[in-house]
Amino acid sequence: MTPILIGSEIYRGSSYGPWHPLRIPRVSTVMDLGRALGWLPPGRFRRSPRARPAALTAWHSSDYVAALAQAEREQAVSAETRDRHGLGTTANPVFPEMYRRPATGVGGVMLAGELLAGGGAVHVPGGGTHHAFPDRANGFCYLNDPVFAILSLRRHGARRVAYVDIDAHHCDGVEHGFRDDPDTLLLSIHEEGRWPRTGAIADRGIGNVFNLPVPRGFHDDDMARTREALILPAVAAFRPDAVVLQSGSDGVLEDPQSRLALSNNAHAGVLEGLRPLAPRLMLLGGGGYNPWSVGRCWTRLWGILSGQEIPDRLPPEAEKVLRALTWRRQGGGREIVPSEPWVTTLADPWRGGPPGEGVAERVTDLAARLRAWA
């Protein structure tokens, strides 16, 4: 199947609010850059449907889905709803599209699972909200579309699914959903001590959970070694029918929500390594709170997935997309002035260095457990 990107205009016109990290454009930047580069002709784009409430109850509770929809209609929540469902908090605020936007993300991954029934690759940059729980919003995530991505792939013939998450934050909601499922491999690389402070290396599920907490300063050389010694061997040994890659870009050096030091080369390397390991690949977004770095990263990944040559310098129309972005410090502070590479390139320079403290030992520990499990 020709690689497909699934997106929606709802991401252009919605925001979590002027004080929230997700006030920035992300998916719309990927769509605009893709079109400016000629990488997103009509035949490669699908508009994401919106998942209906009945479909959402395949994993979320009916009470929670009803409360989320009601909160959008009324633009307010009661104290009881806030306490029970985590809605209307600083992290998960009330905003005009608080039901429709995440339901569009779920609809996108459900469509992707259908499109992948015969094999291929699909990018859903609006997906990747991996913190939501069945009855509760959590960590900017109202609905857990990675869970629905796995369920949709299963519904369309994939029995064994490998879920790989390289977001700076641990995928606590997804692990909750599949830690007892022998047909799902869960592998997460995330910053240690970073919210939600889950994902310990000792966590095993029923043997299918492999968590690698990494120290601040984790860089491209560290990720390359981790990829070759752990990520790719784990997925290859599992022999999946499908791979879901959550490619949150909040681990890049310029992102304000982590202390990792990656470039988008790390994401590109993981994607390129995983692509041959299963007949179906679903690529999701995730975290990413610097508008230039997240837009460039996910557009670069779409270019890799769709077989494009990444230019050394962007053409004028693509530069124009990036130069039009604005970003102020959280709370309405001074406007950030982007460096020239943020608006003229997609590929970051390589960011390497000496091995991060404890990374090699943790990878060795997990690799040994992997050999015993496989």
Side-chain angles (χ1 to χ4, degrees):
M1 185 191 75
T2 300
I4 297 294
L5 188 145
I6 296 174
S8 170
E9 287 299 311
I10 197 170
Y11 299 105
R12 188 187 307 278
S14 64
S15 166
Y16 281 44
W19 295 83
H20 198 281
L22 279 176
R23 64 192 179 277
I24 63 169
R26 306 186 321 155
V27 178
S28 58
T29 304
V30 176
M31 295 190 299
D32 292 346
L33 275 175
R35 288 171 178 142
L37 287 161
W39 295 355
L40 199 57
R44 289 197 169 188
F45 179 79
R46 298 288 188 278
R47 184 175 64 85
S48 176
R50 185 190 311 157
R52 296 180 181 275
L56 297 174
T57 60
W59 195 69
H60 290 286
S61 73
S62 57
D63 286 349
Y64 174 63
V65 173
L68 180 60
Q70 181 178 356
E72 179 177 288
R73 287 194 304 272
E74 299 180 357
Q75 288 297 286
V77 296
S78 66
E80 179 184 4
T81 295
R82 185 180 303 111
D83 292 343
R84 177 179 174 185
H85 296 302
L87 299 171
T89 65
T90 301
N92 312 303
V94 173
F95 69 96
E97 300 84 10
M98 63 185 294
Y99 168 78
R100 286 171 291 161
R101 175 169 163 155
T104 299
V106 174
V109 300
M110 292 173 68
L111 173 60
E114 179 182 349
L115 292 172
L116 289 169
V122 175
H123 186 16
V124 191
T129 55
H130 56 179
H131 295 306
F133 280 80
D135 201 44
R136 187 175 184 83
N138 188 44
F140 312 167
C141 303
Y142 298 84
L143 299 170
N144 199 311
D145 63 80
V147 167
F148 285 91
I150 296 169
L151 295 177
S152 181
L153 287 163
R154 291 261 174 79
R155 189 177 308 116
H156 294 285
R159 187 175 69 87
R160 294 168 67 81
V161 179
Y163 176 79
V164 179
D165 193 307
I166 56 174
D167 194 286
H169 303 80
H170 175 245
C171 51
D172 51 345
V174 185
E175 184 173 311
H176 173 82
F178 293 101
R179 65 192 176 198
D180 297 322
D181 181 355
D183 290 324
T184 304
L185 170 69
L186 298 171
L187 202 161
S188 176
I189 316 297
H190 50 271
E191 184 180 351
E192 64 182 345
R194 176 69 51 187
W195 188 94
R197 297 179 179 85
T198 55
I201 194 170
D203 293 348
R204 294 174 176 242
I206 56 170
N208 63 323
V209 173
F210 293 83
N211 286 320
L212 179 65
V214 299
R216 63 170 55 198
F218 182 78
H219 50 67
D220 289 348
D221 288 335
D222 287 330
M223 181 64 92
R225 287 186 285 263
T226 299
R227 182 190 69 222
E228 296 304 314
L230 178 64
I231 299 174
L232 301 186
V235 174
F238 187 66
R239 298 184 298 277
D241 303 306
V243 170
V244 177
L245 173 59
Q246 199 269 21
S247 61
S249 71
D250 45 5
V252 301
L253 181 65
E254 300 89 352
D255 198 279
Q257 296 294 322
S258 84
R259 294 296 178 267
L260 304 183
L262 297 169
S263 75
N264 62 32
N265 294 292
H267 299 70
V270 172
L271 174 60
E272 289 167 341
L274 288 174
R275 184 66 190 95
L277 298 184
R280 318 177 200 200
L281 187 140
M282 192 186 307
L283 174 65
L284 308 179
Y289 307 96
N290 174 319
W292 292 282
S293 59
V294 65
R296 291 168 59 248
C297 180
W298 293 351
T299 303
R300 182 182 180 186
L301 297 185
W302 167 243
I304 292 169
L305 206 64
S306 57
Q308 310 295 334
E309 182 176 349
I310 309 301
D312 292 332
R313 179 169 182 132
L314 292 171
E317 284 303 306
E319 276 193 39
K320 184 177 178 181
V321 171
L322 292 171
R323 292 187 186 279
L325 297 175
T326 60
W327 187 34
R328 291 187 178 275
R329 292 288 184 192
Q330 195 163 349
R334 66 179 178 84
E335 187 169 311
I336 304 299
V337 178
S339 66
E340 275 299 291
W342 289 7
V343 295
T344 59
T345 68
L346 286 186
D348 290 328
W350 186 269
R351 294 171 183 150
E357 183 178 357
V359 173
E361 293 80 1
R362 295 173 198 179
V363 169
T364 298
D365 179 49
L366 288 174
R369 181 157 70 83
L370 170 65
R371 289 190 293 273
W373 174 69

